[in-house]
Amino acid sequence: MADEISTLMMKNKNKKVLLRLRNTHTVTGILKDFDIHMNLTLEDTEETADGKTEKVGKILLRGDNILLISLPKEES
Amino acid sequence: MADEISTLMMKNKNKKVLLRLRNTHTVTGILKDFDIHMNLTLEDTEETADGKTEKVGKILLRGDNILLISLPKEES
Amino acid sequence: MADEISTLMMKNKNKKVLLRLRNTHTVTGILKDFDIHMNLTLEDTEETADGKTEKVGKILLRGDNILLISLPKEES
Amino acid sequence: MADEISTLMMKNKNKKVLLRLRNTHTVTGILKDFDIHMNLTLEDTEETADGKTEKVGKILLRGDNILLISLPKEES
Amino acid sequence: MADEISTLMMKNKNKKVLLRLRNTHTVTGILKDFDIHMNLTLEDTEETADGKTEKVGKILLRGDNILLISLPKEES
Amino acid sequence: MADEISTLMMKNKNKKVLLRLRNTHTVTGILKDFDIHMNLTLEDTEETADGKTEKVGKILLRGDNILLISLPKEES
Amino acid sequence: MADEISTLMMKNKNKKVLLRLRNTHTVTGILKDFDIHMNLTLEDTEETADGKTEKVGKILLRGDNILLISLPKEES
């Protein structure tokens, strides 16, 4: 993850993000930290698969499973 | 992503691009930024899968999921 | 695995963690050690697949099989 | 992509090439540029899948999706 | 494979280990050697797939096929 | 591709080789060039899939699609 | 492939080895050479798939397709 992207991630720390994973699951949680491999730590995380949502609390998610991260609108 | 390609991407910043993903989904959005791994940030993004389109707003998309990026025609 | 993530893992040594694997299996165990590839060693490990749980004792798990690690709540 | 291959690609700039992709799709277009990862830019591109052909205009195609590139005969 | 993990592997040389592979097969054998890619050499190896066990003698197993290595209990 | 293998490839330049690909297709052609990633250029190439053979002329084949290369017998 | 493993391979040059591939095929042949990626050259090679065996002569096999290599017993 290069600088341009890293700055964007930094601005979204402590905000709620939505992740689409490669395995089609969806994960929502508060973004706490990340590294250059797009490994993320999230809190208050929920994972949705096949219409069922499950709380998974505080997680470390490997970046190579991520399809996309949907970011909250910036406050104006 | 080497220099030749990087220059092309730079010219398409703030333009609408269409992405075909490896998982057969289609994503359209305004290209805001990118890095050497072809990780992209997009705004006003829509994702289409199996004929259904969903707004996903501002996203960070991991480059390794991309099949191809269809670029707008250059204005003459 | 970069520094931010490494520190988090370090704090969870000797605690019980839950792993979701890419192959949909679930693994629980006491986190003993890890390396930069997210290779983990676990003790008192149990693997659950298709509703069946099996004890696998002390294991070394390759990091590239991990989807996410669910961490215990920090004690206050 | 090493030097031997790079020279070949260079000679085929501005010529029409046919790509077989790993996902069994076929892509034809005018080769405009490429980098060491075999990322390509193409113009006047058409993508064929399951017997249906669609124009996709100017594209950037990630090299890791390519199976093979069929090159035009050299003019004598 | 980083140092922490390497030390653990070293302690299990000449002991019987059980491997779960990514392709769901199970392999048991005496661990003889390993390298940083988790490539392993095993002796008196047996491979189990779909309930059938077959002796495969002395093998070299590529590390990238490994899901997890179940290690014997340390003697006290 | 290390030196030992590179020398072997060099000796087979301008000879007819048969490739088995990971996608089960078979490709035959005259080996013209190669690089360290086992990317190959071939001439007079034919691709066979599901019993059907198609001429694809001069191609550049990405090495990561190759399962094995069957080489001609050395002339004595 | 690190030194420990390389030494083992070296000792098995010119001996008959059996390979299990990731695609479930089996390959037997005389090991002639190898490199650090576990790319192998084999002679008098036979490939078995779905119960059918076919002679493929002298081959170069890409290492990333290998599951395991079954080595002959050392002569005493």
Side-chain angles (χ1 to χ4, degrees), chain C residues 15-32:
Chain C
K15 293 186 180 161
K16 187 174 181 173
V17 297
L18 179 148
L19 311 175
R20 301 279 182 94
L21 304 187
R22 287 182 165 215
N23 66 2
T24 76
H25 293 197
T26 302
V27 168
T28 59
I30 309 299
L31 179 64
K32 297 309 288 184

Side-chain angles (χ1 to χ4, degrees), chain G:
Chain G
M1 192 163 59
D3 279 2
E4 303 84 344
I5 303 288
S6 174
T7 304
L8 178 67
M9 292 291 283
M10 191 68 78
K11 288 204 314 205
N12 283 286
K13 272 198 185 180
N14 296 308
K15 293 186 180 160
K16 187 173 182 175
V17 297
L18 179 148
L19 311 176
R20 302 280 182 94
L21 304 186
R22 286 182 167 217
N23 67 2
T24 76
H25 293 198
T26 301
V27 168
T28 58
I30 308 300
L31 179 64
K32 297 310 287 184
D33 219 335
F34 61 91
D35 68 15
I36 54 162
H37 307 294
M38 227 182 272
N39 296 324
L40 308 179
T41 55
L42 298 166
E43 286 184 359
D44 297 333
T45 315
E46 293 186 338
E47 188 185 12
T48 302
D50 305 322
K52 288 199 314 192
T53 297
E54 190 178 357
K55 288 184 194 302
V56 287
K58 182 173 190 172
I59 68 163
L60 166 55
L61 188 130
R62 271 182 71 99
D64 51 5
N65 298 292
I66 297 172
L67 174 61
L68 64 83
I69 307 176
S70 182
L71 303 165
K73 286 199 185 140
E74 285 170 57
E75 291 145 39
S76 53

